[in-house]
Amino acid sequence: MPRTGNSVTRAAGRTFKARETGILLALIAIIAVATIRNPAFLFSNDGFRDLLLTPSLLLLVAVGQAIVIITRNVDLSVGSVLGLTAYLTGRLFIDLPGIPPILVFVVGIGFGAFLGLINGALVAFAKVPALVITLGTLYIYRGINVAWAGGDRVNASDLPSDFRGIGTGQLLGIPFLTIIAAIVLIVAAWYLRNLRSGRELYAIGSDPAAAHLYGLRVTRNVLGAFLVSGALSGLAGVLYAARYGTVSSGAGTGLELQAIGAAVIGGVAISGGVGTVWGAAIGAYLLLTINRALPIVGIEDFWQRAVVGALIIGAIVLDRVLALRQSRKLLEAREVER
Amino acid sequence: MTTTAPETQTVRTYKAHAHPAWRRVLVTREAAVIALLAIVIVTAIASVPNFDSPLTVTYLLRDLAPILLIALPMTLIIITEEIDLSVASIVGLTSVMTGILTQAGWPFAIAAITAILVGTIAGCLNGFLVTVVGLPSLAVTIGTLALFRGIAVGLLGTTAITEFPEFWTDLAKDNIPGTPIPGIMVPFAVLAIAFALVLHFTPFGRSLYAIGLNKEAAAFSGIDVGRTKFLLFMVSGTVSGFAGVYFTLLYSNARGDNATGMELSVIAAVLLGGVSIFGGRGALHGVIAGVLLIGTLGSALRLAGVTSDIINVITGVLLVLSVVSASFLAWLRSRRISAIGRKKGRSSTAPEPI
């Protein structure tokens, strides 16, 4: 590659080309349009808080989903894992009065990780597509949740107020949930970018057979990706209980679609090996911010799902176009070298 | 190839290991599903009160009809190693279209045909994105699942249209005269026979297996892979549209969220029926038995007082078991074949023909 310009313009060029930048601009544009139509969207206290808070839970789940998709798998069971952990959280407080919230967090995350481990073990050892396995566990986990909860539900009064404070409180104007989500995001991004096993996830997603031949521990890494996805869904479940106070057996239904949508819109290729958790996080913000912006620009929010669908399709078409262009460029470069 | 001797030798070895005809027919995945279905039916008749009443049969088949219908094209799609997750959203979209057009005063038949055409167009969009743009069908149909459902919900909001001509709702609910079998089973039977004939007795049907086993090899042997897949997605949209009109009439209810999650039931049944998610394997009689097995088991358990949540758990376990067991059996077989290979390698004096 010919090197032109100084390092600053090169870095600027890279940033401009990155998929994450594109959707970040889209997100900013939506916030701008909504704010012009109704300044309260951003500038009221509640508006700013909602902007940060609403997507935080989805962000956690989308980060886990992105890690799984990067290994060329998919986890459809995340909504069921969230629902089951959220109800477990409520039950812990009801059945063991005085239990310290920190212990509830540990149990919730551990339980989510265990459910993720079941997914991962079935996928990694039985060599069966994750789509089918997690479709099955989506049913199973949700069924267990509904059978366990029955018509029962957890109410805000069942939860101690200091636990609920985690869901509703804020530090310097930034909600706790957003801070937790940001920490998880930074750790995950650092891990995927800098650690050996993080890079191996990309290698596995790019070409599982080649990764296996090269001696990468494919089984263990795929297992780990599902475990992380389950653990993050478990964390999101505990925080769901903290934020909403009421947990019915239907909590988190349909979340898998939003999580996959967030990852795919954020530039994580569904065919594996490409993307960052930053993208998935911006995708999560984009999806839920659109939902809040639609009524403001005069569109009924019934149309949200259609917009999400159109965005997912747009994102994968764009990925395809970019991939084709890149492979053509690489071919041209090879011709030139000869 | 100058000598023919090694080839005949290979053929003989192959024949020596082939199973006798009865074993090939009886010891199959499809036969196992049908046997399991028979066991469930017999057990339910013997132990669940009211299970053998005509009314149970009627309600069971009525509710299963949309799944049975959509499972037909889904089978063909999964055999070519693709998937269509958007079918239930197409049912919802068709249902809403049927309702809106009927409410707008269109004659019902015209409204229904137009709605089915909307389903066809939706299927064409899937087919276009998969074959022309070249995207993975999983990604495409996750997107169109949200898109079609979103349009359906967007058009009607949370309202429902419940007024339909009595003639048509009666037609959807009526049984075949003198039997407890609902009338919808007649078009289903016609479609099922047509799909089975095409899949199992025509070159087109064989080409679907070829595509599922090896897309490149199929293309090299002259199969138009793109056109075939496009056609399958289009048919899937059309059949889902037909199922949507039936669904609307059966429950006299056009809503945006009709049939939500039905894609899961369809895919679970198809895979339970012995179609491989890796493509290239499966048969329609197994799939029909698979749908009936999940439906019958659910209906029997419900009559026995088991709640629908537990039934969902059982459906999920069946789905996971059916794919994991297939994978486990394949692993066992590969071990056995390599064991036979090793034994042969030791005993033979001449090197194996390559």
Side-chain angles (χ1 to χ4, degrees):
Chain A
M1 285 293 277
R3 294 192 165 220
T4 52
N6 57 29
S7 59
V8 176
T9 51
R10 271 210 307 280
R14 254 203 322 272
T15 317
F16 188 70
K17 273 182 204 148
R19 279 292 307 279
E20 290 80 11
T21 317
I23 53 157
L24 187 60
L25 292 177
L27 176 61
I28 293 169
I30 288 167
I31 295 173
V33 170
T35 308
I36 292 168
R37 294 291 289 263
N38 179 3
F41 186 77
L42 182 59
F43 291 121
S44 72
N45 257 341
D46 273 357
F48 182 67
R49 188 172 157 273
D50 279 354
L51 190 69
L52 290 175
L53 186 59
T54 312
S56 297
L57 294 180
L58 177 61
L59 192 153
L60 289 171
V61 181
V63 164
Q65 187 71 253
I67 294 173
V68 170
I69 295 178
I70 283 170
T71 67
R72 203 186 274 191
N73 284 292
V74 71
D75 187 351
L76 292 177
S77 72
V78 286
S80 301
V81 173
L82 182 144
L84 199 47
T85 333
Y87 189 71
L88 172 76
T89 302
R91 289 299 341 163
L92 283 175
F93 282 120
I94 294 168
D95 297 337
L96 305 166
I99 185 173
I102 183 78
L103 188 61
V104 173
F105 271 90
V106 172
V107 173
I109 295 170
F111 184 63
F114 169 70
L115 295 178
L117 191 67
I118 295 176
N119 288 333
L122 287 167
V123 171
F125 291 118
K127 307 256 184 297
V128 181
L131 171 75
V132 188
I133 292 297
T134 55
L135 193 63
T137 52
L138 177 149
Y139 267 122
I140 297 172
Y141 298 163
R142 178 68 62 193
I144 292 172
N145 190 1
V146 180
W148 185 22
D152 229 29
R153 61 180 203 176
V154 175
N155 291 309
S157 56
D158 299 328
L159 304 170
S161 59
D162 52 343
F163 176 72
R164 295 225 45 217
I166 297 168
T168 49
Q170 51 190 33
L171 182 74
L172 301 173
I174 300 171
F176 287 137
L177 290 193
T178 309
I179 296 173
I180 295 173
I183 293 171
V184 167
L185 174 63
I186 290 167
V187 171
W190 177 79
Y191 166 79
L192 283 178
R193 192 180 157 81
N194 296 320
L195 285 198
R196 188 197 157 108
S197 56
R199 301 316 298 170
E200 285 186 0
L201 295 179
Y202 285 94
I204 291 166
S206 298
D207 192 335
H212 180 74
L213 278 178
Y214 188 71
L216 301 186
R217 284 169 296 203
V218 176
T219 309
R220 214 176 78 173
N221 277 313
V222 169
L223 208 61
F226 276 99
L227 187 125
V228 169
S229 172
L232 289 179
S233 304
L235 173 61
V238 178
L239 294 174
Y240 181 98
R243 178 173 178 209
Y244 295 103
T246 47
V247 182
S248 70
S249 59
T253 306
L255 185 74
E256 62 282 347
L257 193 64
Q258 286 187 327
I260 296 169
V264 169
I265 292 168
V268 179
I270 198 98
S271 47
V274 177
T276 63
V277 287
W278 295 112
I282 306 172
Y285 269 89
L286 185 67
L287 281 189
L288 297 188
T289 306
I290 285 178
N291 190 28
R292 290 182 42 240
L294 283 179
I296 292 177
V297 295
I299 302 170
E300 278 180 295
D301 56 359
F302 297 131
W303 286 97
Q304 189 229 357
R305 264 193 282 189
V307 174
V308 171
L311 275 178
I312 295 176
I313 294 166
I316 53 177
V317 169
L318 182 65
D319 260 335
R320 173 75 179 164
V321 171
L322 290 179
L324 281 179
R325 208 173 64 179
Q326 194 188 13
S327 76
R328 209 170 43 233
K329 268 194 183 151
L330 286 174
L331 278 176
E332 276 168 13
R334 198 171 65 177
E335 291 297 315
V336 171
E337 265 172 37
R338 276 182 188 166
Chain B
M1 289 282 151
T2 46
T3 56
T4 50
E7 273 181 36
T8 46
Q9 196 180 352
T10 325
V11 169
R12 206 172 296 137
T13 330
Y14 177 72
K15 270 198 174 164
H17 288 298
H19 293 305
W22 66 266
R23 225 189 126 168
R24 265 179 286 145
V25 175
L26 290 181
V27 188
T28 60
R29 179 59 183 266
E30 287 76 25
V33 179
I34 293 170
L36 202 56
L37 174 62
I39 292 170
V40 167
I41 291 175
V42 171
T43 315
I45 289 175
S47 59
V48 179
N50 294 330
F51 180 78
D52 54 354
S53 77
L55 211 58
T56 307
V57 176
T58 307
Y59 277 103
L60 174 65
L61 290 179
R62 264 187 199 174
D63 290 344
L64 278 185
I67 298 175
L68 278 168
L69 285 164
I70 300 171
L72 300 173
M74 186 71 86
T75 303
L76 272 54
I77 288 179
I78 297 183
I79 284 175
T80 62
E81 215 189 348
E82 298 288 349
I83 199 157
D84 186 352
L85 295 174
S86 71
V87 284
S89 296
I90 297 179
V91 170
L93 181 58
T94 319
S95 176
V96 166
M97 291 306 299
T98 311
I100 287 178
L101 295 178
T102 311
Q103 203 177 38
W106 291 34
F108 184 81
I110 309 287
I113 291 170
T114 312
I116 293 172
L117 274 178
V118 169
T120 310
I121 293 167
C124 287
L125 179 65
N126 284 332
F128 173 81
L129 290 169
V130 170
T131 60
V132 181
V133 187
L135 298 168
S137 55
L138 171 66
V140 166
T141 55
I142 281 181
T144 52
L145 181 153
L147 179 67
F148 300 151
R149 180 67 70 191
I151 296 173
V153 174
L155 284 172
L156 261 192
T158 51
T159 55
I161 293 170
T162 52
E163 294 291 316
F164 293 96
E166 215 166 278
F167 169 78
W168 291 97
T169 53
D170 284 350
L171 188 70
K173 286 176 196 145
D174 276 349
N175 289 342
I176 299 171
T179 67
I181 298 169
I184 183 71
M185 285 297 119
V186 174
F188 167 70
V190 171
L191 268 181
I193 291 168
F195 270 83
L197 286 178
V198 167
L199 178 63
H200 296 299
F201 297 98
T202 65
F204 177 80
R206 298 314 301 171
S207 77
L208 301 184
Y209 291 94
I211 292 171
L213 287 170
N214 191 330
K215 201 167 67 217
E216 284 80 18
F220 270 121
S221 64
I223 296 166
D224 190 336
V225 176
R227 202 177 59 189
T228 307
K229 285 184 178 172
F230 184 90
L231 190 69
L232 293 186
F233 279 102
M234 190 182 87
V235 171
S236 176
T238 311
V239 174
S240 302
F242 178 71
V245 171
Y246 168 74
F247 194 101
T248 311
L249 287 176
L250 179 63
Y251 303 110
S252 297
N253 196 355
R255 290 174 58 93
D257 57 359
N258 268 351
T260 300
M262 190 184 274
E263 70 279 355
L264 305 187
S265 316
V266 174
I267 291 166
V270 169
L271 297 179
L272 182 66
V275 178
S276 166
I277 190 76
F278 297 109
R281 213 206 154 285
L284 269 177
H285 60 285
V287 169
I288 293 170
V291 181
L292 293 175
L293 176 59
I294 289 184
T296 314
L297 195 61
S299 159
L301 290 173
R302 214 166 293 134
L303 280 173
V306 178
T307 58
S308 60
D309 335 312
I310 302 293
I311 295 167
N312 278 348
V313 174
I314 293 171
T315 310
V317 170
L318 275 178
L319 174 62
V320 170
L321 275 184
S322 68
V323 287
V324 170
S325 68
S327 158
F328 180 69
L329 288 176
W331 176 75
L332 271 187
R333 206 173 304 129
S334 76
R335 261 177 62 106
R336 208 171 55 215
I337 288 170
S338 66
I340 291 170
R342 275 201 301 279
K343 221 157 62 188
K344 283 242 168 279
R346 270 201 300 277
S347 61
S348 71
T349 49
E352 289 276 303
I354 296 160

